[in-house]
Amino acid sequence: MRIADRVKNDRSPHRNRERFETPHVERNTFNTAKSLVHMRLVETMDLSAIAEMPREALANSIRHTLLEILEQERLPLNRSERNRLIVDIMDEILGFGPIESLIEDPDVQDILVNGHGSVFVERSGVLHETEVRFRNNDHLRQIIDKIVSRVGRRVDESSPMVDARLPDGSRVNVIIPPAALDGPMLSIRKFGKDPIVKEDLLRMCSITPEIMTYLQGAVYTKLNILISGGTGAGKTTLLNVLSGFVPERERIVTIEDSSELQLRQPHVVRLESRPPNIESQGEVTLTDLVKNSLRMRPDRIIVGETRGAEVLDMLQAMNTGHPGSMSTIHANSPRDALARIEVMIGMARSILSERGARALIGSAINIIVQLVRLPDGSRRVVSLSEVAGIQEGEILLQDIFTLEQEGVNSQGRIYGWMKPTGHESLFANHMERHGFLLPSGVFTEQHRIS
């Protein structure tokens, strides 16, 4: 039976009559045609030859074969729908199916798949629902398996959660049933093909020139920096930018759960944790990697995100000959970040007392940068604090810059001032002694934020 006849027979008055893209064909009819053409393509092409073909040659071969199939079959599709069918099948074979166009869209920052029938994207900090759909949950699982298998990970009912990454470095999180009640959930935090640099952050008003200059001096003179903020606040982006200030002569070891940092220096060693295999063996934790990195003669250790027992080894490294280390942490304020670190030290089953833990934190961490994603979608540095040591068992914090929010304008944008607090930096002399002189005005200039 010809594909056109099979598509015609597949139409039923009891099926969903939702229109697809154009007024000519329903979604189910289009999906049926696409599945049948896809099967015909598999039958037609030499699969053994495909494995050895370069990607560009493979794409041309697939497109040519699809055009031949469509010429032979009389499908009830107009020209626009035929072009869309070719694009969809190409995306299924060479990319990640229905979400391939979203991955390629430079304006999309997050892709959130809530089961096969609901896909949201974030643009300019605001979520929007899309028309993108998967055929069913099995189709979604196929795309998920394709993503996680490329980085040697797995996801199944016995291990329903996994972190992975796309070829461009974008972060992927997956959770499937039974942990997810409404079907497979896929979250993608995209990273652009061209990494964000300091000029981009300044242009977007995510940070002021004075704070950027201060942080550049802090990185260059090997102060230990902790970047704090909530989910999606831009912590990894800022960490990536600050990492670019590390001199090229230094050896950098990066430690991450899922590799995201895009350092451009010539001497970078990238380490990535591993989950246990199906026999519950072979796990490599962040703690293991931090301990191992100390034997690799690093000048800098950069931990993508501090989230557990590895924090104790990281703090000890900062205090024992590895200054200039950096990391990020999920917290709502600098004070909350310090409290979380105390809790994580306890996760390491340390024998440190509370006073001892605070002394370790107070001597290891020098600067805490707080980032926030504001309700208008913008991501901004809202404070920069210095750790001023310990007094009566408490860690002292000194704010150097803070954001004073004044209100919301008619376009829904938050406005206010990024102001220096008037406190003199504890590390200005340190920077000067190490060859970085802060320009005048760094601690006096105010910036309008709108």
Side-chain angles (χ1 to χ4, degrees), residues 152-289:
R153 302 286 175 99
R154 65 181 179 87
V155 61
D156 52 36
E157 285 72 13
S158 63
S159 180
M161 296 179 290
V162 68
D163 288 318
R165 65 180 182 272
L166 297 179
D168 65 359
S170 297
R171 179 196 311 165
V172 178
N173 177 266
V174 172
I175 181 167
I176 65 171
L181 300 181
D182 299 319
M185 303 291 163
L186 172 65
S187 305
I188 299 175
R189 170 67 50 80
K190 285 181 56 183
F191 293 93
K193 292 181 174 62
D194 298 317
I196 289 178
V197 295
K198 70 174 184 177
E199 289 78 13
D200 297 317
L201 294 182
L202 292 170
R203 177 177 47 81
M204 295 183 290
C205 297
S206 295
I207 193 169
T208 65
E210 289 75 24
I211 295 178
M212 183 63 79
T213 299
Y214 173 92
L215 289 174
Q216 184 172 353
V219 174
Y220 182 80
T221 60
K222 290 194 170 184
L223 295 174
N224 297 319
I225 300 173
L226 185 66
I227 301 172
S228 169
T231 300
K235 300 185 298 298
T236 302
T237 298
L238 180 59
L239 178 61
N240 208 54
V241 170
L242 296 186
S243 300
F245 298 142
V246 177
E248 291 191 353
R249 65 180 179 273
E250 297 187 18
R251 175 177 169 88
I252 306 169
V253 177
T254 67
I255 300 168
E256 301 175 84
D257 259 332
S258 183
S259 181
E260 300 170 16
L261 295 172
Q262 299 169 293
L263 275 63
R264 299 297 182 92
Q265 287 88 340
H267 202 165
V268 178
V269 178
R270 303 195 305 160
L271 307 180
E272 185 178 64
S273 65
R274 295 279 298 180
N277 60 23
I278 197 169
E279 290 85 19
S280 299
Q281 297 178 347
E283 181 179 18
V284 180
T285 66
L286 290 179
T287 301
D288 297 330
L289 294 178

Side-chain angles (χ1 to χ4, degrees), residues 33-51:
K34 185 168 66 175
S35 297
L36 295 171
V37 171
H38 195 165
M39 286 189 292
R40 176 75 180 276
L41 175 69
V42 172
E43 295 170 356
T44 302
M45 296 196 70
D46 183 357
L47 298 181
S48 60
I50 286 177

Side-chain angles (χ1 to χ4, degrees), residues 313-326:
D313 295 285
M314 184 185 74
L315 293 174
Q316 289 176 329
M318 290 175 174
N319 271 327
T320 56
H322 299 89
S325 298
M326 292 180 275

